[in-house]
Amino acid sequence: MTADELVPHYLPWTDFDAFARGGGGPALVRHLRATERSRRLLLLRGIIDQAAKSPEVSAPLPSPEWAWELLARIQQRAPAAVETILAHPYTGSWAGYTTRLCRQDVTGVCPFWVHLGHVHCLAAAAAIRAGAGFEAELPIWQGTVSLPTLGMVRLRTGETFGVARVSAGDDGIVVRNRHIEIRLPDDLSTETADWQPIRRITSWHGDRRLSIRLDDLDPYRGLYEPIPPKRLTALEVESWRTVVDRAWHLLATNLPDVADALPAGLESVVPAPAVAFRLPSASTGEAFGSAIVAYSDDSEQLAAALVHEFQHIRLGGVQHLATLHTDDPRERLYVPWRDDPRPLGGVLHGIYAFFGVAAFWRALTAAEPDNALASFEFALWRSASWRTLRAVHRDEGLTDTGRRFLDRIATELAPWQDEPVATDPAAWAATSALDHYATWRLRHLRPDAGTVSVLAEAWSRGDSWPKLGQLPEPRTPTPVPDGSWIDARTDLIRLRLGRDGSTALAERGPQVPGATDADLALVGGAIESAVDGYRRLLVTNPSLPTAIVGLGLALAARGTGPAARALLHRPELVRAVHRILRANADATPNVETVAAWIGRFTH
């Protein structure tokens, strides 16, 4: 194909609009995958061309050009083998990471030649998939040799870095270095002492099939930089199979359109260790098709996490075709799903991801009206994504395409705000949202210093109603938090609304990281005990974020009042004034008293 015959990738507006509304189907995902293939080829060729300018950077391995020639030979013989390697998510991670090393002229986690030499691993894996005879030299890292999409060879040498030779022919596949020779099994899905294959999970629901690699080996499977292998046990793999099977059943049953598209966009899951009462997950735009997901035996939360990451994957692919915002890395915006301020690009990703999450919980709520936890999650995330969308819709950093993206999401998301949700889950969702925003304000907003000083002086004079006019609202957050915080109360709410409800809260609630006795009392409905508990915490530490906001929630639960209003809507101002009084006054008032005073003239 000549340069004149090359056809650029583009996304028609009809496809873009369908994608923004959460649709588009598998055809759109395959189009995005084709775009990623071209992008990776360009990055790969750029890395090879850059290395050719300084041949010494490849040593002790051959030039990367050799790997390119092997890939070209396999492309002629078995193009599907090369396509598998190019589609592999961590080919994208490696290409992005190594390109940055080239541009910045830095070493990375390993010596540069090891990172550069991974291209030989990619070419060798393609050749093995094609059944071709070949010889190649590959980098060794911590006694292992990676064959992406296939597995890992364990050479058991004492060298951190080195070179191995791999050959494939009529007598099979042999990997050797100067210490040892290993013959791989004929069936590469068979595990031996020296060969660890990538395991695969395949789930069916009717005629819908999900087949993913459970990749605990590839060195470029991490978010930011290469990481060593972390092999799961056979029992852990079976636990993953079980929960993925249940999650796939939920998705195929409740979100069939998403279930049709998701297998085209999610081909690899990196298993992460379980986190108590949480299911964290992550993905990166460079690793299209991959998600890092912590283990959980909760299939509903796993299904939501898979949808969440699938949304990120799709948006990451679209952003290689469309510009949604200007390049603005400032961490300046509040989002209800993160504890820190976020840049505009991260906010757009979050809106789309949690729009998808809300869609899952909405469908599950419709299918299971008595599922209080599903109702809570739907109420929480429909509101969170909607409020955030409206907050950034007029942001100057959005392009016209970015605003169109939000408009199309809004056509789906807006009607959900009026759909009925059971009273108790809806109330707890509102409490959780208020808790998060108040604590974020307390940790990341700094009140006007002049206002704080005037209020402290007014208190010291005994003024009951300072004549300040409208208090200035702090607008620019700082990414440096003032005080630590774990969102334990929302974890407790999920226990209360989940299976076994109050029993689970009583038995497992004390195990929630960061949960205090006051938190347990608040979520358990013992409001007066919660008020007393937070007051005691503030005697010990008057600046503690969880106690300041917790007291506001507890006071609000027994009726609105000026103290609750100030603690929940201007907590950063209450704490700042109290700190000055604490430093300068002989008899320091408690936080609640200062909050009640400020609450008289603030809203």
Side-chain angles (χ1 to χ4, degrees):
M1 180 177 286
T2 67
D4 292 336
E5 295 173 312
L6 291 175
V7 178
H9 294 281
Y10 73 98
L11 191 63
W13 283 119
T14 53
D15 288 350
F16 179 87
D17 292 343
F19 148 77
R21 290 193 298 266
L28 172 62
V29 180
R30 287 192 289 268
H31 178 66
L32 297 177
R33 184 177 290 283
T35 302
E36 292 301 309
R37 176 194 184 278
S38 296
R39 181 176 182 273
R40 290 170 184 177
L41 271 176
L42 289 171
L43 289 174
L44 175 57
R45 188 64 244 180
I47 291 167
I48 292 171
D49 289 345
Q50 185 68 26
K53 297 176 182 178
S54 305
E56 70 280 1
V57 301
S58 305
L61 290 170
S63 165
E65 190 68 48
W66 183 95
W68 180 269
E69 292 171 358
L70 178 57
L71 284 169
R73 177 159 64 92
I74 301 305
Q75 175 72 23
Q76 294 297 318
R77 170 175 174 161
V82 175
E83 291 304 308
T84 297
I85 297 303
L86 290 175
H88 184 46
Y90 316 126
T91 299
S93 300
W94 166 79
Y97 181 79
T98 306
T99 296
R100 287 190 293 277
L101 296 184
C102 289
R103 290 175 177 172
Q104 298 167 12
D105 194 23
V106 293
T107 296
V109 172
C110 306
F112 180 69
W113 66 266
V114 174
H115 296 301
L116 185 62
H118 188 72
V119 68
H120 296 289
C121 299
L122 297 171
I128 291 171
R129 283 188 164 277
F134 74 98
E135 291 189 359
E137 292 180 63
L138 312 182
I140 301 171
W141 182 30
Q142 296 186 1
T144 66
V145 175
S146 175
L147 290 171
T149 74
L150 296 172
M152 183 187 71
V153 183
R154 296 178 60 85
L155 291 175
R156 304 177 188 276
T157 69
E159 301 172 334
T160 303
F161 307 109
V163 176
R165 185 178 298 274
V166 58
S167 61
D170 294 339
D171 58 346
I173 303 166
V174 177
V175 181
R176 63 175 67 84
N177 70 351
R178 56 194 179 90
H179 301 293
I180 192 172
E181 177 178 295
I182 295 170
R183 187 174 301 276
L184 302 190
D186 293 337
D187 179 0
L188 290 179
S189 66
T190 301
E191 185 156 354
T192 69
D194 302 312
W195 169 250
Q196 293 181 330
I198 300 292
R199 276 82 66 102
R200 183 173 286 277
I201 294 176
T202 300
S203 297
W204 288 89
H205 181 71
D207 60 353
R208 290 187 173 91
R209 173 178 177 266
L210 176 68
S211 185
I212 55 175
R213 298 187 195 98
L214 193 64
D215 200 329
D216 49 6
L217 298 176
D218 195 291
Y220 292 90
R221 70 192 188 279
L223 274 183
Y224 307 112
E225 60 186 17
I227 55 175
K230 192 170 185 179
R231 192 66 163 169
L232 296 181
T233 66
L235 180 60
E236 289 171 327
V237 173
E238 287 308 308
S239 296
W240 270 98
R241 290 189 200 281
T242 299
V243 72
V244 168
D245 195 59
R246 295 201 305 262
W248 182 240
H249 174 84
L250 287 169
L251 288 176
T253 301
N254 296 290
L255 279 184
D257 290 346
V258 172
D260 286 340
L262 187 143
L266 181 66
E267 66 174 71
S268 182
V269 166
V270 178
V275 177
F277 305 99
R278 301 284 174 94
L279 203 165
S281 61
S283 55
T284 168
E286 289 181 334
F288 184 95
S290 171
I292 302 171
V293 184
Y295 175 76
S296 170
D297 60 3
D298 188 327
S299 56
E300 292 179 1
Q301 294 292 345
L302 177 60
L306 293 178
V307 173
H308 179 275
E309 295 308 328
F310 180 53
Q311 295 286 87
H312 279 305
I313 289 167
R314 290 199 292 179
L315 180 52
V318 166
Q319 286 186 299
H320 289 150
L321 292 169
T323 302
L324 305 184
H325 59 89
T326 58
D327 186 12
D328 181 1
R330 290 176 296 163
E331 298 167 319
R332 58 185 177 86
L333 298 167
Y334 169 73
V335 294
W337 45 81
R338 288 282 297 243
D339 299 341
D340 53 342
R342 300 295 291 153
L344 180 58
V347 174
L348 296 183
H349 259 277
I351 290 170
Y352 192 63
F354 282 99
F355 161 50
V357 169
F360 168 72
W361 291 114
R362 175 176 179 260
L364 190 60
T365 298
E368 303 177 11
D370 294 332
N371 188 331
L373 182 57
S375 296
F376 165 81
E377 300 287 6
F378 172 49
L380 182 66
W381 298 121
R382 71 172 178 181
S383 175
S385 49
W386 177 244
R387 286 186 289 110
T388 308
L389 184 153
R390 295 189 65 185
V392 302
H393 187 268
R394 296 187 179 278
D395 194 284
E396 62 183 11
L398 285 175
T399 63
D400 290 342
T401 303
R403 199 161 281 111
R404 179 173 180 145
F405 172 64
L406 293 181
D407 287 340
R408 299 306 181 268
I409 294 174
T411 61
E412 300 294 321
L413 192 56
W416 298 359
Q417 309 308 307
D418 298 323
E419 293 183 359
V421 174
T423 302
D424 197 41
W428 281 116
T431 296
S432 175
L434 184 57
D435 187 4
H436 189 279
Y437 181 58
T439 308
W440 183 90
R441 286 189 65 108
L442 187 58
R443 299 174 72 234
H444 291 287
L445 291 183
R446 304 292 182 262
D448 176 69
T451 301
V452 173
S453 179
V454 168
L455 285 174
E457 291 171 1
W459 172 276
S460 300
R461 291 193 304 268
D463 291 357
S464 60
W465 196 287
K467 302 300 187 289
L468 293 174
Q470 186 167 355
L471 298 180
E473 174 75 10
R475 292 294 180 187
T476 305
T478 172
V480 181
D482 186 347
S484 60
W485 179 63
I486 298 175
D487 193 6
R489 285 184 285 262
T490 295
D491 293 336
L492 294 174
I493 291 170
R494 289 191 170 103
L495 278 178
R496 173 175 173 146
L497 297 178
R499 296 179 184 87
D500 302 322
S502 57
T503 300
L505 179 63
E507 293 179 355
R508 300 181 60 205
Q511 302 168 25
V512 170
T516 66
D517 289 342
D519 295 331
L520 289 163
L522 177 66
V523 178
I527 303 304
E528 293 306 320
S529 295
V531 170
D532 291 341
Y534 291 126
R535 284 170 174 164
R536 286 193 295 271
L537 289 171
L538 290 170
V539 169
T540 304
N541 183 356
S543 293
L544 187 63
T546 188
I548 292 173
V549 176
L551 180 59
L553 293 171
L555 292 173
R558 68 179 191 184
T560 57
R565 185 163 57 245
L567 289 170
L568 294 177
H569 298 284
R570 288 296 185 99
E572 73 287 349
L573 183 61
V574 172
R575 184 170 64 175
V577 172
H578 188 263
R579 280 174 169 168
I580 290 182
L581 298 177
R582 212 163 68 230
N584 298 332
D586 294 332
T588 304
N590 61 45
V591 173
E592 185 178 351
T593 302
V594 174
W597 178 69
I598 291 177
R600 295 176 189 170
F601 46 86
T602 59
H603 298 87

